[in-house]
Amino acid sequence: MNKLTLETLERWLWDSADLMRGHIDSSDFKNYIFGLLFLKRANDQFEEEAHLAVANEGISLEEALEDEDYHQFFIPNDAYWSELTKKTENIGQALDKAFALIEEHNPQLEGVMTAVHFGDTEKLPDELLARLLQHFNKYSLANEQLDNPDILGSAYEYLIREFADDGGKKGGEFYTPKEVVRLVVNLIKPQAGDSVYDPTCGSGGMLIQSANYIKAHGGTVGSFVDVTLYGQEKNLGTWAICKINMIVHNFKDSDIKKGDTLSSPKHVENGELMTFDRVIANPPFSLKKWWANAEIDIKTDEKGKEIAPKYNAVVSDEYGRFKYGIPPRGYGDLAFVQHMISVLKNDGRMGVVLPHGILFRGGTEGKIRKGMLEDDIIEAIVGLPEKLFYNTGIPASIIIINKSKAQNLKEKVVFIDASSEYKEGKNQNTLTDENISKIVESYDGLEDVDKFMRVVEMSEIRDNDYNLNISRYIDTSEDEVIVDIKATLEEIAELEAKEKEIDVKLSGYLRGLGFYDE
């Protein structure tokens, strides 16, 4: 019997999106397809586990189906895939009921299955849902039917990438291009035994890539002996996608919380923020009103008008995360950075993707930047090419934070200008393997590379008033060509003389051919 390969699985799953075109916005495909994918997988695995229990325990199939101890996820009768595919009307309502029942019997899935609703008959008429269920019925997703146990996670990543691409700017809000993720992970180098945390985890790509990096470097991943993954995500639908992503990658013990990290961080123990070995994130760029859900105290004049609200607001933060200052209301970038620093262990490393503006903007952001530099925790700045991201064309940067710098990097910052390291695409540029290798190898080697990398002394940064704009430290301009005016004039005169000789010869030829009268 032929087993389901990754290529077939990807094509089959993507075809399900084609069935939905014209009914709902392409940026919303992911919410429905990921829900059906997980439901089908859970059912097929549930049946496989029941038959294994029959074979190994000598019990009846009925007993195996009813005993929760034999199953990773228990599926109640009304949520059986075989029952749902029999429905011809009110299919959306039946699916919503099935998801609610599964959550009821599996507390670890609370909120995951019901994050999206299928009962909207205008968006999802019975005819469409019937076609979708029949399409998903084509293959079994039981372990025994898969070419290898990792292909479901790989196919899930493929769908996330394709949905981001298909949905354009709106669809890309929850997705960081995998090449950028791989670059950041290779720069912070998570190790076996590490805890890895992403405060804006989206669909979980940075966490999974961190685990894959550990596995590629000899760690055992999947049993959570060698890595623990933590994340928080504000968007409910994206949080549910991340939870499913962890499950299909067999990271069942990952701790993914939902909520706004800045106003309500969820990874807390005994009233204190948990700390982690590696912290990694691509927060939303320049988030407006980032403290919208936090308690704030804004100074006002006698008429009640806000006084310089960008810089005089005081955020009430019981965890003391903003030691370097409160970022302006219209730019939440350094709020996320300071949160990440506050949860980073003293021997930890952190990588964050941010817009270039945080490198040079003044005001409070300048003061925050100065404080971080004087504490000597900024280890590297990497400037990225433009048009790498789905939701913005502006170039971004990667900031590497290290609370325990190596002795040879004390009072120094590594600057890398990788703005020219990309493969050009029609709508979006990408980082190639060669681009990533060049950046990482240069960073690891710590040798200056002309027009690409410099290790800069803190004294030079102080002289630049703590401005971290990469162009201040790496000159990428082309060398000016020195023009010898005298030689150039002589060359022009020589060319003019030759031109006159050619004109005389040409006139002679034309006269010989009778074009000129004697």
Side-chain angles (χ1 to χ4, degrees):
M1 179 182 61
N2 293 329
K3 293 193 175 184
L4 189 60
T5 65
L6 178 59
E7 181 181 4
T8 301
L9 179 58
E10 288 178 347
R11 187 172 61 250
W12 170 51
L13 292 175
W14 184 246
D15 285 346
S16 63
D18 289 334
L19 294 175
M20 305 185 76
R21 296 191 190 281
H23 291 274
I24 61 173
D25 191 283
S26 60
S27 62
D28 293 329
F29 287 173
K30 59 185 181 293
N31 299 320
Y32 300 103
I33 291 176
F34 286 141
L36 290 176
L37 171 61
F38 185 75
L39 179 62
K40 181 65 161 61
R41 162 65 173 174
N43 265 270
D44 292 344
Q45 190 175 5
F46 176 79
E47 291 182 3
E48 182 179 62
E49 290 164 345
H51 285 97
L52 286 172
V54 171
N56 297 330
E57 304 296 330
I59 60 176
S60 68
L61 181 59
E62 183 179 3
E63 290 176 295
L65 291 172
E66 293 178 355
D67 193 331
E68 296 187 13
D69 291 340
Y70 293 117
H71 304 283
Q72 178 188 353
F73 299 113
F74 183 77
I75 310 297
N77 290 15
D78 287 345
Y80 282 0
W81 184 266
S82 57
E83 293 300 314
L84 293 170
T85 54
K86 295 176 183 177
K87 302 288 184 182
T88 58
E89 57 183 22
N90 299 322
I91 299 175
Q93 292 88 330
L95 284 169
D96 288 341
K97 180 181 177 182
F99 287 136
L101 286 170
I102 291 173
E103 283 190 11
E104 184 181 327
H105 285 269
N106 302 274
Q108 68 271 43
L109 295 177
E110 182 180 356
V112 176
M113 308 297 291
T114 54
V116 62
H117 300 288
F118 286 80
D120 186 343
T121 55
E122 290 188 9
K123 279 187 176 181
L124 301 169
D126 284 332
E127 180 186 0
L128 171 61
L129 288 175
R131 295 206 322 266
L132 275 171
L133 291 177
Q134 290 305 316
H135 179 78
F136 272 90
N137 210 36
K138 185 175 181 180
Y139 296 106
S140 169
L141 295 175
N143 289 330
E144 182 63 28
Q145 305 300 318
L146 302 179
D147 189 46
N148 68 73
D150 294 330
I151 69 167
L152 200 61
S154 299
Y156 198 89
E157 289 180 23
Y158 161 82
L159 281 180
I160 290 175
R161 183 174 67 253
E162 291 299 310
F163 285 140
D165 191 34
D166 192 61
K169 180 176 180 179
K170 185 177 178 182
E173 290 175 351
F174 70 107
Y175 177 74
T176 304
K178 65 176 182 178
E179 296 84 6
V180 176
V181 175
R182 189 153 60 89
L183 173 58
V184 181
V185 170
N186 275 264
L187 291 171
I188 66 171
K189 297 175 173 55
Q191 301 176 357
D194 278 353
S195 55
V196 183
Y197 168 71
D198 184 343
T200 57
C201 62
S203 55
M206 286 189 160
L207 295 173
I208 289 171
Q209 183 59 41
S210 296
N212 290 339
Y213 178 92
I214 293 172
K215 183 176 181 180
H217 289 77
T220 302
V221 173
S223 63
F224 278 82
V225 172
D226 282 353
V227 63
T228 47
L229 305 179
Y230 300 83
Q232 185 166 338
E233 172 54 39
K234 180 179 179 179
N235 182 281
L236 178 61
T238 306
W239 168 82
I241 289 172
C242 183
K243 291 280 285 187
I244 297 174
N245 201 7
M246 294 296 154
I247 292 169
V248 298
H249 278 88
N250 292 317
F251 300 137
K252 305 176 187 68
D253 297 326
S254 58
D255 187 358
I256 310 299
K257 306 288 191 184
K258 56 184 171 182
D260 186 327
T261 300
L262 292 182
S263 63
S264 182
K266 300 298 184 183
H267 292 92
V268 178
E269 285 182 343
N270 301 319
E272 299 288 338
L273 292 173
M274 295 172 61
T275 56
F276 309 93
D277 299 294
R278 295 291 185 272
V279 180
I280 185 170
N282 175 21
F285 286 0
S286 301
L287 183 65
K288 309 298 181 187
K289 298 182 180 179
W290 56 269
W291 56 43
N293 296 320
E295 295 181 17
I296 62 173
D297 178 21
I298 300 176
K299 294 182 179 180
T300 59
D301 60 19
E302 63 277 4
K303 295 182 179 180
K305 184 178 179 180
E306 293 180 3
I307 303 174
K310 282 189 176 182
Y311 303 119
N312 291 323
V314 177
V315 175
S316 176
D317 177 47
E318 62 181 297
Y319 304 109
R321 291 172 291 174
F322 306 120
K323 63 174 286 189
Y324 297 111
I326 306 299
R329 169 181 318 207
Y331 297 99
D333 307 299
L334 290 178
F336 286 108
V337 170
Q338 290 188 86
H339 168 78
M340 294 170 72
I341 291 171
S342 70
V343 299
L344 182 67
K345 290 183 178 180
N346 288 332
D347 59 349
R349 292 169 64 83
M350 164 186 144
V352 56
V353 182
L354 297 166
H356 265 292
I358 62 98
L359 301 178
F360 54 80
R361 287 194 295 253
T364 302
E365 289 187 301
K367 295 176 183 177
I368 295 171
R369 197 167 55 243
K370 176 182 177 180
M372 293 164 57
L373 286 163
E374 288 296 352
D375 277 357
D376 200 21
I377 60 175
I378 298 180
E379 181 168 286
I381 308 289
V382 180
L384 296 175
E386 63 182 6
K387 294 173 63 178
L388 289 180
F389 298 86
Y390 289 97
N391 54 349
T392 180
I394 66 172
S397 58
I398 298 171
I399 315 298
I400 303 298
I401 300 290
N402 188 345
K403 289 186 175 180
S404 300
K405 286 186 182 179
Q407 192 60 41
N408 62 335
L409 283 176
K410 297 284 188 183
E411 289 286 305
K412 297 176 183 177
V413 176
V414 178
F415 285 85
I416 297 176
D417 185 345
S419 58
S420 299
E421 297 297 317
Y422 64 91
K423 177 182 178 182
E424 188 171 3
K426 183 178 180 181
N427 298 315
Q428 187 178 2
N429 297 328
T430 57
L431 296 172
T432 66
D433 290 343
E434 291 75 17
N435 298 145
I436 294 172
S437 294
K438 180 179 179 180
I439 296 167
V440 174
E441 288 171 8
S442 298
Y443 174 69
D444 292 343
L446 294 179
E447 294 289 338
D448 287 0
V449 180
D450 187 42
K451 300 184 183 299
F452 183 71
M453 174 184 151
R454 273 190 69 205
V455 181
V456 178
E457 298 283 348
M458 192 66 71
S459 57
E460 183 177 346
I461 296 173
R462 291 191 183 99
D463 289 343
N464 278 301
D465 198 24
Y466 302 95
N467 188 313
L468 296 178
N469 199 344
I470 297 172
S471 62
R472 291 198 175 209
Y473 305 98
I474 299 178
D475 181 10
T476 58
S477 61
E478 297 295 329
D479 294 334
E480 292 184 11
V481 178
I482 300 176
V483 179
D484 187 331
I485 301 298
K486 182 179 179 182
T488 300
L489 290 173
E490 290 174 351
E491 185 179 349
I492 291 172
E494 184 179 342
L495 290 172
E496 288 176 344
K498 288 182 178 179
E499 184 180 9
K500 288 180 181 179
E501 290 179 13
I502 293 171
D503 286 344
V504 170
K505 287 182 180 181
L506 181 59
S507 295
Y509 292 144
L510 292 173
R511 190 174 292 109
L513 293 170
F515 285 96
Y516 294 152
D517 292 334
E518 293 293 339

